[in-house]
Amino acid sequence: MLQRLDRTAADLARASDEDAQGALERVRVAQSLSWETRFTDLLQDLPEPERDEAVRALRSLVEHVRQHAPGSGASAGTGGFAVIGDVTMKATNGSVVAGVVNGGVRVDPPQPGPVQD
């Protein structure tokens, strides 16, 4: 079990380093499903008293991780900008792009052309 955890950590780290096409998210989803299956099988094979104890321990572990894991979710205050993953923004043709604007944005307007009907 510990070797599988080590392999999972290595797979996630590798995917994080090469995350050009969402590799990290694909690996994360695959590992999540794999571990869900492992835990389901394990719990189904335990006698009821042991299963109940294991479920309590797993719930406690999940709660601990939720409370103490750094970066376990994106968060931003009012007017903020938070993202998990990549964001690509590109301004073209004299336009403006921003994740958050706190104040005015001014772009010199184009010179007026002939009146069109």
Side-chain angles (χ1 to χ4, degrees):
M1 184 74 83
L2 292 178
Q3 288 176 338
R4 285 184 178 172
L5 283 170
D6 289 340
R7 279 196 306 266
T8 297
D11 289 348
L12 290 167
R14 217 176 2 266
S16 181
D17 289 343
E18 64 184 50
D19 195 43
Q21 297 296 320
L24 178 60
E25 183 62 16
R26 286 190 302 276
V27 170
R28 189 194 66 73
V29 168
Q31 289 292 339
S32 177
L33 292 172
S34 176
W35 280 99
E36 181 180 346
T37 300
R38 286 182 181 121
F39 279 111
T40 299
D41 291 346
L42 171 73
L43 292 171
Q44 287 176 344
D45 291 342
L46 289 175
E48 190 170 345
E50 291 177 33
R51 180 176 44 238
D52 292 344
E53 184 179 333
V55 167
R56 280 191 298 277
L58 286 170
R59 285 183 177 148
S60 176
L61 176 62
V62 167
E63 184 58 32
H64 177 80
V65 169
R66 283 185 179 148
Q67 291 178 2
H68 297 94
S72 57
S75 176
T78 303
F81 185 83
V83 175
I84 296 177
D86 296 334
V87 172
T88 302
M89 298 163 122
K90 184 176 180 180
T92 60
N93 300 324
S95 62
V96 174
V97 65
V100 174
V101 175
N102 293 312
V105 174
R106 182 178 169 170
V107 177
D108 293 330
Q111 296 298 317
V115 175
Q116 297 179 0
D117 292 322

